[in-house]
Amino acid sequence: MFTVTVLPEGRLLEARGGEKLLELLRGSVAAPCGGQGKCGKCRVTVDAEERLACTVTGDRGMTVTLPQTFDQKILTQSPEICAPAAAGYVLAMDIGTTTLVCSLLEGSGRELAVAACPNPQAAYGADVVTRIREAVSGKTEELARLVREALEGLALRCCREADIRPDRVKMLSPVGNPCMRQLFLGIPPENLGKLPYFRAVTKPQKMRCGSFFPAFSGAELVLPPDIGPFVGTDTLGCILSSRLYEEEELTLLVDIGTNGELVLGDQDRMVCCA
């Protein structure tokens, strides 16, 4: 064992010999390529020498200086929110590949509070494909833990802002692309990593929240089905919110995200792709 000093915070981390520096710094540095040494985003200063954290294997005490970071602006406003079909308070969650957003709603659909943060899974890759590779290599449980803890933190922040006790929340509903939802549920995404691709959540599901969000153990977790293997419930939310299914004219809906989707249709028919 040896100690790694992390600046400018002055944190002290205990490390084992042979451990990659990137593993120690997960969440503190970007790693869009998942630690393959290709993107150059995990660049840090190790004992006054600039290095990629994913290429440094620890075998001694060292001082690591992190790069300067910038605040990320996350879109949290929406012109319309679909009213939930539930009595009591509801938490609507958007599990984005890059960002997480949580909204606290009352039964009428009126938004009481909203909170957002970067998706901490980004430390294991910036895109869906890299995240799938990391998950099937044995990190599914870690990726699930990261996103669940972050979402629960956002949910509690919303409750504090609206002065609502967590036990008054009756329903939580997380949406996202199929990969992000599988990682939230702890389902290894092998089905999305190779042909033939298929969706894992094919039917609506309801379950207790306890194993996902201990602070909301009395609430119900509601999971709508995915549309396809790469078109998920975030797209379903866009369709419902925009009322695309009521359009008389052929209309194109575009969800611009790290994982982007298109829906073309009207009141008679819709086709989609990602």
Side-chain angles (χ1 to χ4, degrees):
M1 298 290 291
F2 57 92
T3 300
V4 175
T5 302
V6 182
L7 302 177
E9 298 99 326
R11 285 183 293 147
L12 299 179
L13 303 177
E14 294 297 320
R16 298 183 301 273
E19 189 173 6
K20 289 286 187 182
L21 182 58
L22 179 61
E23 294 299 323
L24 282 175
L25 299 177
R26 290 285 191 189
S28 298
V29 295
C33 70
Q36 300 182 81
K38 296 179 178 180
C39 67
K41 298 294 186 180
C42 66
R43 197 175 303 277
V44 295
T45 302
V46 180
D47 293 338
E49 180 184 358
E50 196 171 76
R51 304 281 300 277
L52 295 180
C54 64
T55 65
V56 178
T57 301
D59 57 4
R60 56 177 174 77
M62 63 183 75
T63 298
V64 178
T65 303
L66 301 179
Q68 182 180 1
T69 58
F70 299 91
D71 292 335
Q72 184 177 37
K73 185 175 182 180
I74 301 172
L75 179 64
T76 58
Q77 294 180 328
S78 172
E80 180 179 352
I81 296 179
C82 300
Y89 296 102
V90 175
L91 282 162
M93 300 172 166
D94 181 9
I95 308 175
T97 309
T98 304
T99 59
L100 307 176
V101 181
C102 180
S103 296
L104 176 65
L105 313 172
E106 60 180 7
S108 66
R110 184 171 69 93
E111 186 177 76
L112 302 177
V114 62
C117 72
N119 188 333
Q121 292 177 339
Y124 288 90
D127 56 81
V128 169
V129 174
T130 308
R131 213 88 50 95
I132 291 172
R133 188 190 66 241
E134 291 293 305
V136 299
S137 69
K139 295 186 174 67
T140 298
E141 290 186 8
E142 171 65 8
L143 290 166
R145 180 190 66 79
L146 286 171
V147 74
R148 291 175 189 177
E149 289 181 355
L151 286 171
E152 185 172 51
L154 294 179
L156 289 171
R157 193 194 311 174
C158 286
C159 288
R160 288 193 298 270
E161 182 179 328
D163 195 23
I164 300 297
R165 297 195 315 270
D167 61 8
R168 298 182 65 188
V169 174
K170 302 304 180 184
M171 185 179 87
L172 292 86
S173 185
V175 301
N177 68 61
C179 178
M180 293 302 101
R181 280 225 305 182
Q182 283 190 221
L183 292 179
F184 163 76
L185 293 169
I187 302 174
E190 287 98 341
N191 56 304
L192 303 175
K194 58 183 178 181
L195 291 170
Y197 306 121
F198 61 91
R199 55 184 177 149
V201 183
T202 60
K203 298 179 180 179
Q205 297 182 27
K206 294 182 179 180
M207 60 190 77
R208 306 311 297 177
C209 281
S211 59
F212 299 93
F213 306 117
F216 299 90
S217 58
E220 188 173 52
L221 189 72
V222 177
L223 301 170
D226 290 320
I227 296 174
F230 288 100
V231 183
T233 48
D234 50 351
T235 302
L236 178 61
C238 290
I239 293 171
L240 293 174
S241 182
S242 66
R243 300 184 184 275
L244 178 60
Y245 53 87
E246 296 179 350
E247 292 291 337
E248 296 182 0
E249 300 292 332
L250 194 61
T251 304
L252 179 65
L253 183 152
V254 182
D255 182 1
I256 304 174
T258 310
N259 186 66
E261 296 89 7
L262 303 175
V263 183
L264 179 66
D266 53 26
Q267 59 188 2
D268 297 318
R269 180 175 182 238
M270 287 180 278
V271 294
C272 60
C273 64

